[in-house]
Amino acid sequence: MPTSAAAMQLKDKQGSLKAEPFSAKSILNNVKTGTPPKAGAFRERPLIKPTAFRKFYERGDFPIALEHDTKGNKIAWKIEIEKLDFHHYLPLFFDGLCETTHPYEFFARQGVHDMLEHGGSKILPVIPQLIIPIKNALNTRNHTVVCTTLKVLQHLVVSGEMVGEALVPYYRQILPILNIFKNKNLNSGDGIDYSQQKRENIGDLIQETLEAFERHGGEDAFINIKYMVPTYESCLLN
């Protein structure tokens, strides 16, 4: 003869129905729901197909080579950066920001920074072509890729006159991922967070990037940032 507790447990097993969480059946009486599935907002999205940057690199279409010196690796440009066709090359290098394997990752990241350093007035007209590669890189949700892209964005807004203001209309495409990861900081307690020294803490990098957007984006920057990232507080008004 089963005990009263065992009998109740047996009745519960026999009498209850199971349903998916948040489904129509889940609101019925005597229905058990399991744990809801994870939304997957932070889950990495791997690349489905090779980047255009990788294809061009493997074909040898870039005027670059790897150079070693006492400070580490750097790009040896076969022609002067100022003479490059920025409409052609800069979007391709931005496309390579999605890469995580050597040497593609190194050439794309360093190539972008080199071109932003020497591009001057050639950068502003190319801004519309950079938005989709930036969005694709952020949408990978890969920690390294997102950190690299945030550093590139900080460099981009100061790379030439009016570049920061030219990015404002594209905040709706760039900022949603920043809003998701804004508070994703490592809480190490009393420990040492070495990612801060390496500038690999996503939450801190996002805050720095948003502040750079506001400083260089003109008078409409803050209200547009606030619309996409409601928890952002102005670094200029306060």
Side-chain angles (χ1 to χ4, degrees):
M1 187 74 181
T3 63
S4 57
M8 290 180 68
Q9 189 175 8
L10 185 63
K11 181 180 178 182
D12 186 49
K13 285 182 180 179
Q14 293 173 342
S16 61
L17 298 172
K18 287 187 176 180
E20 289 288 328
F22 307 111
S23 65
K25 290 182 179 179
S26 66
I27 62 174
L28 299 174
N29 292 330
N30 205 26
V31 170
K32 280 194 169 183
T33 58
T35 55
K38 291 184 177 180
F42 300 113
R43 189 180 69 247
E44 288 186 21
R45 271 78 162 163
L47 290 175
I48 299 174
K49 58 183 181 179
T51 62
F53 174 85
R54 180 181 291 220
K55 292 178 183 177
F56 274 72
Y57 176 80
E58 290 177 344
R59 281 200 322 226
D61 288 349
F62 292 127
I64 54 176
L66 187 62
E67 182 178 321
H68 304 277
D69 64 9
T70 54
K71 296 180 181 178
N73 295 335
K74 67 178 184 178
I75 293 179
W77 292 88
K78 297 176 183 178
I79 62 173
E80 293 180 28
I81 298 175
E82 293 84 353
K83 294 181 180 178
L84 289 172
D85 179 358
F86 272 61
H87 278 280
H88 176 68
Y89 285 111
L90 192 57
L92 284 172
F93 275 89
F94 266 80
D95 184 64
L97 293 175
C98 294
E99 295 286 354
T100 56
T101 55
H102 188 79
Y104 313 108
E105 177 271 335
F106 168 76
F107 277 121
R109 171 175 47 83
Q110 193 57 47
V112 164
H113 284 295
D114 285 354
M115 292 184 75
L116 293 180
E117 189 72 31
H118 298 89
S121 60
K122 287 188 171 186
I123 296 169
L124 181 60
V126 191
I127 292 297
Q129 295 173 253
L130 306 181
I131 303 306
I132 290 178
I134 291 169
K135 184 180 176 183
N136 290 341
L138 293 172
N139 275 332
T140 64
R141 290 165 165 80
N142 177 286
H143 181 95
T144 304
V145 171
V146 172
C147 288
T148 298
T149 307
L150 291 170
K151 294 171 187 175
V152 165
L153 286 171
Q154 291 178 27
H155 192 173
L156 178 62
V157 295
V158 297
S159 62
E161 290 186 16
M162 304 293 291
V163 170
E165 294 181 29
L167 285 171
V168 174
Y170 303 104
Y171 283 176
R172 293 192 180 196
Q173 293 169 266
I174 298 172
L175 298 188
I177 299 297
L178 274 62
N179 186 42
I180 292 173
F181 283 91
K182 183 175 183 291
N183 296 317
K184 199 173 189 298
N185 273 330
L186 174 67
N187 184 3
S188 57
D190 294 333
I192 300 173
D193 181 10
Y194 291 101
S195 69
Q196 289 182 333
Q197 297 176 11
K198 299 175 183 176
R199 296 188 70 230
E200 292 177 356
N201 190 317
I202 287 185
D204 290 345
L205 280 172
I206 287 174
Q207 183 64 27
E208 291 174 15
T209 305
L210 294 175
E211 289 178 2
F213 278 4
E214 183 185 2
R215 286 194 184 96
H216 302 281
E219 58 183 14
D220 295 328
F222 172 68
I223 192 168
N224 282 279
I225 294 171
K226 188 73 172 176
Y227 182 79
M228 299 305 300
V229 187
T231 57
Y232 177 73
E233 296 296 333
S234 174
C235 63
L236 300 178
L237 300 177
N238 298 332

